[in-house]
Amino acid sequence: MMEEKISAPGIFWKVSDPEHEFHGQLKISLDNQVSIEVTESGVGLNDVKKALSGDLDIGRMEGMVEKIGAVTLEGCRYRSRPLSFGGIARSKIIAKQAYINASFDANVPVSFKKIRISVEGLEHWVGDANKRLEFSDDEIWTVDNRSKTNMEIGVDDNFSMRLVTIPNVYLDYESCEARFIGKTYLDLNFEKEVCYEDAAVLIDRVLNFFSFAMDRVACIREIKAISDANRINGDFDHSVFFDVHYNGRFFSPSFLGGKSRDFIFDMSVGGMQLQKSITLWFEAYQRFGSALNLYLAARMEAYRYLDGKFLAMAQCIESFHRCTDDRKKMSKSDYSELKDKVLNACPDEHKGLIKDLLNFGNEISLRERIASLVEPFKNYFGEEEERMKMIRGIVRTRNYYTHYDKKLEEKSLKGARLMKAYMIMEVLFQMHVLRFVGFSNENIDRIAKANPNFSMFLKL
């Protein structure tokens, strides 16, 4: 059973029916599953009939919770609601999102003007190079953040980001020691407030950027937000942060931290061009978002077995090449002319079959696509004969697992060779993404030599 980070009693009510109050227990687990266990009376057949017809939705609920205060719960619905026939019954209500220290008018959708995210590992990614501790002759200590953080990163006309490091100095008078701890946050700022759905997409893409940079799953420790629509104590206060909980990629002890030397790049490497890289990362989702999703799914262990990860990565690099290179075997006009000649010469009873086969006949093969992707970085993958052997192995294995052709079983890669092929494809894709988000060949070479995951599979 998942451990709970919030479990507190409170009183709750439907926004559509504020007179009907529930007494219950708010529970939010470590993976941000939000639920309320409430005590109800008078749950009878009419309520059961509504439930059986699929009418389990409640909509928005609000409440006052002990030691927490005001709570707004979005997307509420019954998970279980036993019969009581006039007696007392304990029901379970689940919610899609929970907003702590927030209250909104009934017909006003939840929206955000500013979102502050604490990301696991972000302090390591930013590093200590941006902090300076100064001592003066009159024993005044000054902590300074250099310009690498607190830097505005404009993504589009409505959305900008800022890395904010908040320093704290803790003094231990018994041991006469002072500890400096800086916590780094990501601030997402919006000129016009954005709804939850749009904010969730942006948060996911920003997290994926840091997942790529850190070469590990970047998880959220906490999210806070500001909304002009939030009303506390009956007054609009635009500066009050409220906590946001939803079933996203939140940190839990099951996620193991990585070491900074395993990062693909950190602030010391990517900081000078962070504005450019972030902007191009969002553009990458427009160009080859399907390939990024396949890569990230493989990195986040969405595939339990190696053959599944291998297939996802093979599909990833094929999709990437299709999205970034429109090369065909023949020009569109020449192929259209050839296709017409073949169909005109074909017996009528076979024209449908031949037409289907010719629809993708002008596409280059997976072998050619991989060779094209390897070409800019060919010096990292050995001599030509070694490269072609590697490509043949990847193509045969992909064809075997896709079509299960018995003729290819013996020639397909297995075990350690399959793992190596998967890692080579992963590194190849990472190098192309680095180039797309603005890294020079010199920087990519520096990264390849410094990162053990690169150097293990490349010829350096």
Side-chain angles (χ1 to χ4, degrees):
M1 185 177 178
M2 179 63 69
E3 187 182 341
E4 291 153 0
K5 61 179 176 183
I6 292 178
S7 180
I11 300 172
F12 308 91
W13 57 90
K14 302 177 186 178
V15 170
S16 59
D17 184 14
E19 300 301 321
H20 184 190
E21 293 185 344
F22 303 86
H23 291 261
Q25 189 89 0
L26 173 67
K27 294 184 177 182
I28 303 178
S29 64
L30 285 175
D31 62 347
N32 268 34
Q33 300 285 347
V34 182
S35 65
I36 320 172
E37 292 182 356
V38 298
T39 303
E40 293 186 277
S41 62
V43 179
L45 284 175
N46 288 335
D47 298 297
V48 174
K49 286 177 181 178
K50 288 176 67 178
L52 290 175
S53 66
D55 188 10
L56 298 171
D57 292 335
I58 299 173
R60 181 182 294 176
M61 294 183 69
E62 291 194 334
M64 291 298 294
V65 179
E66 184 181 288
K67 296 182 180 179
I68 291 177
V71 174
T72 297
L73 305 169
E74 281 286 339
C76 298
R77 67 195 310 267
Y78 282 103
R79 180 66 178 269
S80 61
R81 197 181 190 193
L83 286 166
S84 64
F85 297 109
I88 300 296
R90 196 167 187 82
S91 303
K92 184 173 183 179
I93 298 171
I94 56 175
K96 292 180 179 178
Q97 303 108 42
Y99 305 108
I100 309 295
N101 195 33
S103 178
F104 301 88
D105 286 333
N107 298 318
V108 176
V110 177
S111 58
F112 308 104
K113 189 162 185 71
K114 181 175 185 175
I115 299 173
R116 175 165 287 178
I117 313 171
S118 174
V119 180
E120 180 68 19
L122 190 60
E123 287 83 9
H124 295 291
W125 188 83
V126 170
D128 295 327
N130 66 304
K131 305 178 187 73
R132 182 172 60 229
L133 187 62
E134 294 182 346
F135 302 89
S136 63
D137 294 336
D138 53 359
E139 297 184 355
I140 296 176
W141 297 3
T142 304
V143 179
D144 176 44
N145 283 316
R146 299 184 186 179
S147 59
K148 286 185 180 180
T149 54
N150 302 309
M151 172 178 61
E152 193 81 18
I153 303 166
V155 178
D156 59 33
D157 292 339
N158 189 50
F159 170 44
S160 64
M161 289 173 47
R162 186 186 293 271
L163 278 167
V164 179
T165 299
I166 300 176
N168 288 293
V169 176
Y170 295 91
L171 300 176
D172 186 337
Y173 294 102
E174 290 186 3
S175 60
C176 298
E177 292 179 348
R179 287 187 300 149
F180 171 82
I181 297 177
K183 195 169 184 179
T184 303
Y185 297 90
L186 271 172
D187 277 1
L188 312 185
N189 301 299
F190 307 97
E191 288 295 320
K192 295 180 181 178
E193 294 205 359
V194 296
C195 64
Y196 161 77
E197 289 77 12
D198 292 341
V201 171
L202 289 172
I203 290 170
D204 192 57
R205 292 183 178 182
V206 170
L207 280 180
N208 288 341
F209 174 81
F210 288 100
S211 292
F212 178 82
M214 294 190 282
D215 202 20
R216 48 161 287 184
V217 181
C219 297
I220 301 168
R221 281 192 294 233
E222 62 176 345
I223 297 183
K224 295 180 180 293
I226 290 175
S227 172
D228 286 348
N230 181 24
R231 54 178 172 80
I232 297 293
N233 299 326
D235 228 349
F236 284 91
D237 188 338
H238 302 170
S239 62
V240 172
F241 272 105
F242 57 90
D243 295 334
V244 179
H245 300 272
Y246 69 97
N247 190 18
R249 199 192 311 162
F250 281 78
F251 174 75
S252 73
S254 61
F255 288 105
L256 299 178
K259 298 178 180 178
S260 57
R261 64 181 175 83
D262 295 328
F263 294 167
I264 294 178
F265 65 92
D266 59 15
M267 191 70 156
S268 65
V269 177
M272 298 302 295
Q273 59 170 48
L274 194 58
Q275 164 76 61
K276 181 180 180 181
S277 294
I278 290 282
T279 304
L280 289 172
W281 177 262
F282 277 86
E283 185 181 320
Y285 269 96
Q286 305 302 319
R287 290 282 303 278
F288 52 91
S290 58
L292 281 174
N293 289 333
L294 285 163
Y295 162 78
L296 291 163
R299 290 296 293 128
M300 294 177 190
E301 304 299 331
Y303 302 92
R304 180 170 293 184
Y305 301 106
L306 180 57
D307 52 358
K309 291 181 69 172
F310 173 88
L311 279 174
M313 208 63 229
Q315 189 179 353
C316 165
I317 60 173
E318 182 176 14
S319 176
F320 174 78
H321 191 271
R322 282 179 182 274
C323 294
T324 56
D325 191 331
D326 60 357
R327 189 181 318 172
K328 306 291 182 184
K329 289 183 177 180
M330 302 171 64
S331 69
K332 190 175 181 179
S333 58
D334 287 346
Y335 186 73
S336 180
E337 184 180 343
L338 175 63
K339 185 178 176 181
D340 290 340
K341 286 180 180 178
V342 171
L343 289 174
N344 289 335
C346 179
D348 289 342
E349 63 268 25
H350 299 310
K351 277 189 177 180
L353 173 64
I354 299 302
K355 186 177 180 180
D356 288 341
L357 292 173
L358 290 174
N359 281 338
F360 300 99
N362 202 24
E363 298 289 338
I364 62 176
S365 66
L366 177 61
R367 188 190 310 270
E368 292 170 298
R369 293 186 188 281
I370 298 175
S372 174
L373 291 174
V374 168
E375 181 63 26
F377 305 108
K378 62 184 180 181
N379 293 336
Y380 294 101
F381 296 95
E383 299 297 328
E384 184 177 1
E385 184 178 346
E386 187 177 356
R387 295 197 302 269
M388 295 313 297
K389 182 180 178 182
M390 172 195 73
I391 293 170
R392 283 195 300 271
I394 291 172
V395 172
R396 286 170 179 167
T397 307
R398 178 262 192 183
N399 290 341
Y400 168 67
Y401 281 117
T402 301
H403 307 294
Y404 278 97
D405 186 346
K406 287 290 183 182
K407 295 177 184 177
L408 296 173
E409 184 175 8
E410 291 185 3
K411 296 180 180 180
S412 66
L413 303 174
K414 297 177 181 65
R417 293 172 63 205
L418 181 64
M419 184 65 191
K420 183 178 179 181
Y422 164 78
M423 292 301 301
I424 285 173
M425 287 192 292
E426 186 180 276
V427 168
L428 176 63
F429 180 73
Q430 289 168 338
M431 294 173 84
H432 275 279
V433 173
L434 284 169
R435 190 164 72 162
F436 185 88
V437 298
F439 282 81
S440 65
N441 289 335
E442 291 76 13
N443 274 337
I444 293 173
D445 183 69
R446 195 176 300 119
I447 289 168
K449 289 176 179 176
N451 187 290
N453 294 329
F454 278 65
S455 58
M456 189 181 300
F457 299 100
L458 298 178
K459 307 291 182 181
L460 299 172

